[in-house]
Amino acid sequence: MATATTELDLNDPRRRPPLVTGEQDLHSITETVSKIAERPKPPRAWYVAFAIASSLTLMFFSLIGYLVYEGTGIWGNNSPVFWAWPIVNFVFWVGIGHAGTLISAILFLFRQNWRTSINRFAEAMTIFAVICAAIFPGIHVGRVWFAYWLFPLPSTDLAMWPNFRSPLLWDVFAVSTYGTVSLLFWYMGMIPDLATFRDRATGKIRKMLYGIFSLGWTGSARHWSRYEIAYGLLAALAAPLVLSVHTIVSFDFAVSQLPGWHTTIFPPYFVAGAVFSGFAMVVTLMVPAREFFGLKDLVTMRHLENMNKIILATGSMVGYAYAMEFFIAWYSGNGYEQFAFVNRAFGPYAWAYWTMVSCNLLAPQLFWFRKVRTTPWMMVVICIFVNIGMWFERFVICITSLSRDFLPSSWGYYSPTKIDVLMLLGSFGLFFTLFLLFCRYLPIVAMSEVKAYLPDAQPHGDDHH
Amino acid sequence: MNHPIQANSSELQLGSAADKLLRYGAAVGGGGLVVALIGAAIHTDGWRRLQFAYLTTFCYFVSLVLGCLFLVALYHLTRTGWGVVVRRLAETVSVLMVPLAVTALPIVLSVIAGSGQLFPWASAEAQATDHLIQHKAPYLNATFFTIRALVYLGVWVALARFFWSRSVQQDATDDVQLTLRMQAVSAPTMFAFGITLTFASFDWLMSLSPHWFSTIFGVYYFAGCVVGALALLIVMTRALQASGRLTHTVNVEHYHDLGKLLFGFTFFWAYIAFSQFLLIWYANIPEETIWYLKRMENGWQWVSLLLLFGNFLVPFLGLMSRHVKRTPKLLAGWAAWLLVMHWVDLYWVAMPEVLPSPSIGLTELGCLAAFGGLLVAAWSKVAAKHALIPVHDPRLPESLAFHVPY
């Protein structure tokens, strides 16, 4: 595509630019997306990535085995920092998932049609991120074989219930609801595309498996009608989940009385941060994926630019929350609160704090420049910085407040063990393993949804987008 | 551009209604002023109460005008097509910041006078004896307060006039570049808007209780702004349609979308209000709970419950229905209700600092009538000068033909 003409089209407010570029028709979209999963062998890069990712996953599960055998003493968690990397990793991974839900639910309700090219991809990431997230609190309980006590099951041998007033219990409900709805949404949206794979499948096994999972979809008008209703309902159900999950995660901290944790802006601040990191992860993975799998006409520069704008917006909201916390810490006149923030910026964890500030606040501000928003390598670099920054944000919140609370005599300095580091690495391995399998076997772009927004599919022409 | 829009057709002009609105508005406004002054004379502690009632009403109308400014900027930021037909109304409201800026004068004067009647931190006595107020003095002092008020109001006036003047210029020139320019400015606008709105809410509302603090307070005020602005737009559109205007431009799909946004932001307000309440209730730290404690006794608990039900639960159920959102009369009814509730919200924020138990007196009603009447009169002058929709907006055809296929 000649970039000069597309840019002119993109900016002309008199007409909406097409969502996909190139001479696309219904068939070419099917071909482009299906052949990714149909080719007998994926590109060599896929094998290399899969080898690394699956090895890390293996290491992750071995370490979990070791943890179960040996106990949580293998981690760096110790007085006064009992909530350390496992909780940091949990919050980080839950946050990553939020882009998928925002794209599939909220952007759908806002009729942001450009989302159709990226929603499948982002929704898949949501599922994988929730899986990674759920593992950490699950193993953090120590005696993993009692993890089911998290659920309010009628107890036969304990004669007690979980504490319903604890946001930790609300987390169990919030994250499991989130995981369930996200999985349903993702799977249901995929049924028409799975049916396409089934119809094109050549091998017997492929035909059977895709056949089972496409649930007998024929594409009849009745199927579509029900599909659209279910889609709208699930979107409406998932929209509040975008807010609720990270709100409740923020409650884990904010309901306490600990300086640096207890502040009223936490709920919306955490939600903005989650969407911020989630979008950064989508861009990080989308840029190489569209390159390797030849999706540049479906996931266009405009899609990436829009995502970068959302990163800039949500990153600025996070910056706003930092500023409010700092201002009110001073304004409140509360000495402990002031200490918590001065300690963050200039105490023993200043290195983590300034890593967070430069990655989260400064880096995304570069997206004010169109050049940065539209240059793939630049956006990937910034998005990786954002993800580093968002991991450090949770580290700063969690560790600095716990390590130095009200009593100087109970202060301490937390250091992770090697196992902590390897388990974080291992969770990335699990995430990428699942992601690579998804790229190999499932429709990574929602073909049927993209097709609905081709110019030919619009009976009334340009006036309706 | 070949759409059948005639800027001078009576359907798109305020026309003769402008004079009527001006006369009635000025009469109600003048009357309201007198009533408020009578109230101040007869109520116990009347002058102090008048200052609070004035501030509450000022913050109420500022929130509506700011909400409209936000929507205008949001339109450009997101390149909105569907709702262009109602954007002009938001623009006309947003430039009412010009007269509103003048009405901030009594508030600033009250602070400069140093009586501490309105803002306790402004009194010399509190500054001399109250340790926390001394700590906050670098921020909460008359000079800085005045400078900040000037900055907020200056920024809002400048932004509102920027979008307004370019939009009406486009009516005449049909120049697409103006749209591009407004889009470019809309993103930095959000920054300026967010920061000024937050600190204005700290200054004008939160510091009424100068010991108390809440990091989410700016977001809370913002949520109310947007609910109020959307409700106002719906009511205005409906009223104009009832008078035979905008009948061929605004259709049921536009109402439906405005209704969905109103529903969403009602929920957002509740989410923010609940976040603030729950975290303070749960941690139960006296320096924070004091603010809610005041609003949970001596009759104020009923106002708190009225907010919970009237500003969230009941309209939440009411606006959930597709039928309601697609029936302009019903939707406008809910919107009008939410406009009232939004005032109750600010009353609940400000007035417990002066009234031991809730009551609505001549001061509150008078201020509401005074501000409302005078702003309606000012609006009629602004709105009468130009068409009621941006007739040459490049995305107008999209908005006129707007319908949702699913």
Side-chain angles (χ1 to χ4, degrees):
Chain A
M1 286 302 294
T3 46
T5 51
T6 34
E7 277 210 3
L8 200 75
D9 291 345
L10 285 180
N11 287 322
D12 189 344
R14 279 168 299 203
R15 48 185 297 272
R16 296 284 170 182
L19 289 174
V20 292
T21 52
E23 293 295 310
Q24 300 290 346
D25 55 25
L26 302 179
H27 180 66
S28 70
I29 289 176
T30 307
E31 283 296 323
T32 311
V33 179
S34 302
K35 74 167 193 254
I36 298 169
E38 282 169 356
R39 62 176 134 193
K41 275 188 170 192
R44 187 180 298 258
W46 187 90
Y47 283 104
V48 175
F50 190 77
I52 299 171
S54 55
S55 312
L56 289 174
T57 308
L58 192 63
M59 177 188 75
F60 188 40
F61 283 110
S62 317
L63 287 173
I64 292 175
Y66 178 49
L67 178 90
V68 173
Y69 173 77
E70 189 67 30
T72 46
I74 61 170
W75 284 332
N77 305 24
N78 210 335
S79 176
V81 183
F82 290 111
W83 270 16
W85 278 36
I87 300 298
V88 174
N89 297 342
F90 161 68
V91 182
F92 173 78
W93 280 118
V94 174
I96 295 294
H98 276 59
T101 326
L102 187 101
I103 291 169
S104 51
I106 294 199
L107 293 189
F108 171 75
L109 294 175
F110 281 157
R111 289 195 298 269
Q112 295 295 307
N113 302 331
W114 58 275
R115 73 175 197 104
T116 49
S117 298
I118 51 169
N119 67 345
R120 174 72 43 74
F121 199 83
E123 285 168 28
M125 284 175 43
T126 299
I127 314 284
F128 307 147
V130 171
I131 292 172
C132 291
I135 287 176
F136 282 101
I139 55 178
H140 194 244
V141 296
R143 292 179 291 168
V144 183
W145 51 97
F146 288 136
Y148 67 92
W149 285 359
L150 288 166
F151 294 95
L153 299 168
S155 147
T156 48
D157 47 6
L158 272 178
M160 61 180 184
W161 294 88
N163 183 0
F164 285 98
R165 273 194 172 188
S166 165
L168 300 180
L169 181 66
W170 309 344
D171 252 344
V172 176
F173 301 142
V175 176
S176 51
T177 310
Y178 182 56
T180 312
V181 173
S182 302
L183 186 66
L184 273 177
F185 205 176
W186 179 60
Y187 173 57
M188 200 212 74
M190 207 152 49
I191 290 174
D193 289 351
L194 287 175
T196 305
F197 274 21
R198 172 200 62 197
D199 296 343
R200 291 168 56 98
T202 44
K204 220 175 191 169
I205 296 174
R206 282 180 79 93
K207 208 171 190 75
M208 194 178 75
L209 284 176
Y210 288 124
I212 289 170
F213 284 104
S214 55
L215 303 180
W217 177 271
T218 60
S220 72
R222 183 176 300 198
H223 281 179
W224 276 113
S225 164
R226 291 194 176 138
Y227 171 89
E228 295 287 346
I229 292 168
Y231 203 103
L233 278 176
L234 275 175
L237 279 176
L241 287 177
V242 180
L243 293 180
S244 70
V245 180
H246 236 63
T247 294
I248 290 172
V249 170
S250 82
F251 285 170
D252 293 345
F253 301 93
V255 296
S256 72
Q257 298 181 334
L258 195 65
W261 283 16
H262 175 69
T263 182
T264 49
I265 205 169
F266 254 38
Y269 152 40
F270 266 49
V271 172
V275 174
F276 178 51
S277 66
F279 266 88
M281 189 64 106
V282 174
V283 171
T284 308
L285 296 185
M286 194 47 119
V287 169
R290 74 196 268 275
E291 190 79 36
F292 278 120
F293 299 128
L295 294 172
K296 280 183 176 171
D297 280 339
L298 298 187
V299 182
T300 64
M301 194 48 81
R302 179 162 156 251
H303 291 92
L304 297 176
E305 195 185 349
N306 280 351
M307 285 194 272
N308 293 335
K309 284 179 182 170
I310 292 178
I311 291 171
L312 174 58
T314 48
S316 303
M317 289 179 201
V318 169
Y320 169 89
Y322 293 166
M324 285 308 115
E325 281 189 311
F326 248 91
F327 175 74
I328 295 289
W330 170 78
Y331 179 88
S332 69
N334 180 328
Y336 296 106
E337 196 72 26
Q338 287 164 19
F339 173 78
F341 283 91
V342 171
N343 182 49
R344 274 185 193 176
F346 304 106
Y349 295 101
W351 57 273
Y353 180 80
W354 293 107
T355 308
M356 165 188 102
V357 168
S358 38
C359 291
N360 270 1
L361 278 191
L362 305 181
Q365 296 302 321
L366 291 172
F367 281 144
W368 282 103
F369 302 102
R370 180 185 295 268
K371 172 90 183 143
V372 182
R373 286 201 304 270
T374 53
T375 309
W377 71 263
M378 287 189 197
M379 62 179 96
V380 170
V381 169
I382 290 177
C383 286
I384 288 173
F385 273 128
V386 166
N387 272 314
I388 294 172
M390 282 308 291
W391 188 88
F392 270 98
E393 180 194 294
R394 279 64 173 252
F395 177 86
V396 165
I397 292 171
C398 208
I399 311 289
T400 59
S401 285
L402 284 175
S403 70
R404 289 188 165 187
D405 63 359
F406 303 96
L407 272 182
S409 59
S410 62
W411 286 1
Y413 187 87
Y414 164 84
S415 309
T417 61
K418 277 184 200 125
I419 308 272
D420 275 309
V421 182
L422 291 177
M423 282 183 106
L424 173 62
L425 211 59
S427 68
F428 272 94
L430 175 61
F431 179 79
F432 282 106
T433 304
L434 293 168
F435 178 76
L436 287 164
L437 288 172
F438 161 70
C439 289
R440 174 86 180 87
Y441 294 107
L442 291 173
I444 65 173
V445 171
M447 295 182 274
S448 60
E449 292 191 55
V450 172
K451 286 175 192 170
Y453 293 103
L454 284 181
D456 295 346
Q458 298 290 328
H460 305 291
D462 265 338
D463 284 348
H464 294 267
H465 283 284
Chain B
M1 206 150 293
N2 50 358
H3 47 89
I5 284 297
Q6 298 293 329
N8 52 3
S9 84
S10 65
E11 145 161 325
L12 296 180
Q13 293 287 342
L14 199 53
S16 56
D19 286 339
K20 224 192 253 175
L21 284 174
L22 182 63
R23 276 202 308 276
Y24 286 139
V28 171
L33 208 57
V34 175
V35 170
L37 289 170
I38 295 174
I42 63 169
H43 291 316
T44 7
D45 205 5
W47 290 105
R48 183 151 175 253
R49 180 168 176 176
L50 176 63
Q51 293 181 38
F52 273 83
Y54 187 93
L55 178 75
T56 305
T57 319
F58 171 77
C59 288
Y60 175 68
F61 284 102
V62 163
S63 76
L64 300 183
V65 171
L66 275 183
C68 284
L69 175 61
F70 170 76
L71 292 179
V72 170
L74 191 67
Y75 265 112
H76 291 297
L77 188 64
T78 56
R79 306 180 180 188
T80 300
W82 66 272
V84 172
V85 286
V86 291
R87 201 189 68 218
R88 177 56 55 79
L89 295 180
E91 288 165 350
T92 54
V93 174
S94 71
V95 285
L96 294 181
M97 194 49 86
V98 179
L100 261 179
V102 181
T103 63
L105 195 63
I107 297 165
V108 174
L109 285 180
S110 157
V111 171
I112 293 175
S115 70
Q117 285 204 339
L118 183 56
F119 294 100
W121 53 263
S123 84
E125 195 201 331
Q127 285 162 5
T129 55
D130 189 314
H131 178 67
L132 269 173
I133 288 180
Q134 284 168 355
H135 168 77
K136 297 178 195 199
Y139 183 78
L140 293 180
N141 64 70
T143 318
F144 195 23
F145 180 90
T146 311
I147 295 173
R148 286 197 306 271
L150 286 175
V151 171
Y152 309 146
L153 296 165
V155 167
W156 298 336
V157 166
L159 289 174
R161 286 195 54 87
F162 172 85
F163 288 107
W164 157 257
S165 60
R166 273 158 193 74
S167 178
V168 296
Q169 203 182 328
Q170 196 171 46
D171 281 5
T173 59
D174 203 357
D175 182 1
V176 175
Q177 291 299 323
L178 289 168
T179 297
L180 296 178
R181 180 86 192 113
M182 286 190 278
Q183 273 171 199
V185 174
S186 63
T189 292
M190 289 299 185
F191 266 62
F193 176 85
I195 291 166
T196 49
L197 177 141
T198 302
F199 283 98
S201 73
F202 287 175
D203 287 8
W204 299 342
L205 291 170
M206 197 167 86
S207 83
L208 285 173
S209 174
H211 288 186
W212 188 73
F213 52 87
S214 171
T215 40
I216 207 174
F217 197 81
V219 188
Y220 181 79
Y221 186 67
F222 164 76
C225 287
V226 184
V227 172
L230 287 166
L232 182 66
L233 277 188
I234 292 169
V235 170
M236 284 170 77
T237 311
R238 171 70 197 145
L240 286 166
Q241 282 202 323
S243 75
R245 295 171 176 83
L246 300 180
T247 43
H248 289 91
T249 47
V250 180
N251 65 34
V252 72
E253 303 286 352
H254 299 114
Y255 279 110
H256 192 182
D257 269 15
L258 285 169
K260 283 186 250 181
L261 284 171
L262 184 65
F263 172 78
F265 273 96
T266 302
F267 191 89
F268 182 70
W269 174 86
Y271 165 65
I272 298 297
F274 175 72
S275 297
Q276 177 169 275
F277 174 77
L278 180 93
L279 294 177
I280 288 175
W281 170 81
Y282 205 120
N284 206 10
I285 301 172
E287 60 190 17
E288 293 178 350
T289 50
I290 179 79
W291 197 81
Y292 279 105
L293 207 57
K294 224 177 202 172
R295 286 156 182 78
M296 282 179 156
E297 51 190 29
N298 295 327
W300 285 107
Q301 69 270 33
W302 301 112
V303 185
S304 304
L305 286 173
L306 176 65
L307 271 184
L308 171 63
F309 284 90
N311 205 17
F312 172 53
L313 292 175
V314 177
F316 177 79
L317 294 176
L319 287 168
M320 196 177 264
S321 145
R322 176 181 163 93
H323 171 71
V324 168
K325 290 189 287 261
R326 294 180 76 85
T327 312
K329 217 185 249 177
L330 291 176
L331 181 64
W334 280 110
W337 170 255
L338 282 168
L339 276 176
V340 175
M341 278 299 131
H342 177 45
W343 182 81
V344 174
D345 181 22
L346 294 176
Y347 173 86
W348 174 84
V349 168
M351 296 305 277
E353 303 301 329
V354 65
L355 294 176
S357 59
S359 73
I360 296 202
L362 295 180
T363 39
E364 289 81 41
L365 295 175
C367 284
L368 210 50
F371 271 94
L374 294 174
L375 286 172
V376 166
W379 182 80
S380 71
K381 293 293 265 184
V382 174
K385 273 191 245 165
H386 304 278
L388 293 169
I389 61 168
V391 284
H392 283 146
D393 189 281
R395 297 196 181 95
L396 183 62
E398 188 182 330
S399 183
L400 287 171
F402 176 55
H403 105 119
V404 186
Y406 49 84

